[in-house]
Amino acid sequence: MSLVVDEHRQYLDDKARVAAFRQAIREIVKPGNVVLDLGCGTGILGLLACQAGAARVYAIDGGGMIQLAREICLANGFQDRIIHINGLSTQVDLPERVDVVVADQIGRFGFEAGVFEYFADARERFLKPAGRTIPARVDLYVAPVEHRVMWNQVEFWSHSPAGLNFSPVRPLATNTGYPSTYRRRHLLGKPAVLASLDPSNSPKAILGLQASIVATRKGTLHGIGGWFLAQLSAHVTMSNSPLARHPINRHNVFFPLDRPVKLAKGDQVRVQMSILPTDTLVTWTVEVWGFHGNGRSSKQRIRKARETTHSTFQGMLLCQDDLRKTRPDFIPKLTSWGEARLSVLALCDGQKPLEEIERELYQRHSKLFRSPAEAAKFASEVITSYAL
Ligand SMILES: C[S@@+](CC[C@H](N)C(=O)[O-])C[C@H]1O[C@@H](n2cnc3c(N)ncnc32)[C@H](O)[C@@H]1O
């Protein structure tokens, strides 16, 4: 069984998640509604919509799950109501507008799985004017966290692993948002809502977000924790918060500091963040303010720490050669592999069968391919992505 299928097993096995979607779909989908299940995977959300009385469901998936979704649909007897579409939601069309769009593209911190991009497109092209989305709102939460295990992952690069100096990696390590899991004990203050967003109507760049959180206990601040709460319907929320009564089974995110900061109870942790959802980029800056002096009257706020701005952009493995190719004055020229791809695309003229395209490709680019089978594999990869 492929690991993709096992990933979907985990989605289905997440009882809090399935229960939340089931209840929200029951609340929102009315008998006779037309529903879009965006990123259907196994098709679970569309099946729940059918159970709630949907007349028709368009189930779209851009991955290999679409074939299984068809079979699962058949196994459940909904084949007369669910229409499966293989492709990315942003690249396909629907024959009619829908009453409801439902998807779980929320990610760990509430934005990284394409929720804003896909819902914005779906609202514009697929949703009726009074149509509803599930979720209708996504809140992004942050909290100061003490998490030695996560911190050790960052510091790993400073400790000469294998007896050698790997310190050039550390700047990337402090500019990375890590999947992590928090318990109540990891939190140093009450979580704050950093942003509250309508997934289908949010800016492309979510800039200048701020939260100020008072430490409720002393401890060591290692970083900022992030997670989400999604309002699926009027009465149903779904969250991976460590404080949720029934959290779903999904990681949180750890945004590290440069250096740990000792916090006293009452200190203030100020977080600034900006997010570019489509590029999955986050920048964060953290300041800690404490008090100077002991007596109540002599207490004066002082800044205990100010971090340089972190950015997941700085944490990316960017190759200088690739960066050079993104400059506006760069004059691109195809490599021999680019030429081969161009050949395949040009040979797809709506007349030639695949075997002829493969043969022609091998003849034109015999230096690239060690055998006709290799050329055929290359042609198939291009054709499955771009041909009808
Ligand atoms: C997080 S899984 C959710 C699957 C299913 N909806 C569920 O709730 O169990 C996301 C699925 O959406 C698909 N996907 C992601 N973005 C998509 C898009 N823009 N269009 C179509 N499919 C997409 C992926 O291939 C994957 O199967």
Side-chain angles (χ1 to χ4, degrees):
M1 189 167 77
S2 114
L3 285 179
V4 172
V5 178
D6 197 58
E7 181 187 328
H8 287 272
R9 176 190 62 74
Q10 292 173 42
Y11 293 134
L12 291 178
D13 196 29
D14 185 342
K15 297 195 174 43
R17 189 189 84 100
V18 173
F21 271 109
R22 186 192 296 278
Q23 198 188 329
I25 286 170
R26 260 195 216 137
E27 246 176 63
I28 288 186
V29 174
K30 303 284 172 270
N33 274 179
V34 182
V35 175
L36 167 58
D37 177 359
L38 195 165
C40 68
T42 53
I44 172 69
L45 305 182
L47 295 172
L48 294 177
C50 284
Q51 287 182 333
R56 241 175 340 285
V57 172
Y58 293 98
I60 306 180
D61 202 288
M65 287 301 293
I66 196 78
Q67 187 49 37
L68 275 178
R70 277 193 190 104
E71 291 172 29
I72 293 165
C73 167
L74 200 61
N76 286 279
F78 289 120
Q79 63 277 14
D80 55 337
R81 285 202 266 163
I82 306 186
I83 298 124
H84 294 89
I85 301 173
N86 179 9
L88 269 188
S89 60
T90 48
Q91 294 174 6
V92 300
D93 289 313
L94 294 187
E96 62 183 323
R97 289 205 171 239
V98 303
D99 301 286
V100 179
V101 179
V102 61
D104 182 356
Q105 295 298 139
I106 303 169
R108 299 176 180 128
F109 190 29
F111 79 92
E112 338 76 290
V115 63
F116 298 111
E117 186 187 353
Y118 302 149
F119 272 78
D121 174 64
R123 177 170 294 285
E124 194 182 315
R125 298 192 305 124
F126 302 140
L127 199 59
K128 290 180 183 170
R132 312 269 302 267
T133 62
I134 305 176
R137 204 191 74 230
V138 180
D139 295 341
L140 276 53
Y141 274 83
V142 286
V145 292
E146 178 173 51
H147 202 308
R148 185 152 297 284
V149 173
M150 292 312 301
W151 181 251
N152 288 345
Q153 267 180 240
V154 174
E155 277 302 40
F156 174 86
W157 303 104
S158 313
H159 294 322
S160 304
L164 292 160
N165 183 352
F166 287 88
S167 60
V169 185
R170 194 177 184 277
L172 277 81
T174 57
N175 285 290
T176 299
Y178 297 82
S180 63
T181 302
Y182 302 117
R183 300 280 175 251
R184 190 177 287 270
R185 66 173 188 280
H186 292 118
L187 308 188
L188 287 160
K190 195 165 164 258
V193 179
L194 187 72
S196 190
L197 301 158
D198 171 351
S200 61
N201 193 16
S202 286
K204 288 203 173 0
I206 310 165
L207 306 174
L209 302 171
Q210 295 191 9
S212 178
I213 301 168
V214 175
T216 46
R217 66 172 176 88
K218 70 172 191 177
T220 306
L221 178 67
H222 291 124
I224 300 301
W227 54 85
F228 72 86
L229 180 139
Q231 191 75 46
L232 298 188
S233 65
H235 301 102
V236 185
T237 59
M238 179 179 89
S239 178
N240 57 345
S241 162
L243 303 183
R245 200 136 62 95
H246 301 293
I248 65 164
N249 179 19
R250 194 166 298 174
H251 279 119
N252 312 123
V253 184
F254 175 68
F255 297 103
L257 301 187
D258 270 329
R259 307 262 162 243
V261 178
K262 289 277 175 219
L263 281 194
K265 187 175 172 183
D267 282 355
Q268 203 177 50
V269 180
R270 297 181 189 170
V271 184
Q272 284 186 31
M273 267 194 190
S274 292
I275 296 173
L276 295 181
T278 312
D279 301 314
T280 335
L281 287 180
V282 182
T283 61
W284 65 101
T285 312
V286 180
E287 272 185 20
V288 179
W289 288 75
F291 288 101
H292 189 60
N294 292 324
R296 258 183 175 273
S297 54
S298 62
K299 274 192 172 179
Q300 212 183 11
R301 279 225 176 261
I302 52 153
R303 192 163 69 191
K304 287 173 78 168
R306 183 175 203 284
E307 288 267 314
T308 53
T309 300
H310 298 247
S311 166
T312 52
F313 184 71
Q314 309 283 346
M316 287 164 123
L317 274 179
L318 295 174
C319 160
Q320 286 307 318
D321 208 36
D322 290 344
L323 277 181
R324 184 179 60 85
K325 294 180 191 165
T326 64
R327 293 206 200 108
D329 61 350
F330 173 65
I331 298 171
K333 212 170 114 241
L334 285 183
T335 63
S336 45
W337 287 103
E339 298 277 5
R341 179 171 283 243
L342 188 62
S343 290
V344 177
L345 294 173
L347 287 164
C348 292
D349 57 2
Q351 310 283 326
K352 291 184 192 54
L354 179 58
E355 57 180 356
E356 199 180 323
I357 295 175
E358 290 170 358
R359 220 178 17 251
E360 180 69 31
L361 175 72
Y362 186 58
Q363 272 172 13
R364 286 192 198 174
H365 303 277
S366 54
K367 282 197 184 131
L368 286 184
F369 302 108
R370 276 173 298 187
S371 65
E374 241 183 45
K377 186 163 173 265
F378 182 85
S380 298
E381 278 164 14
V382 178
I383 282 167
T384 47
S385 298
Y386 300 108
L388 293 171

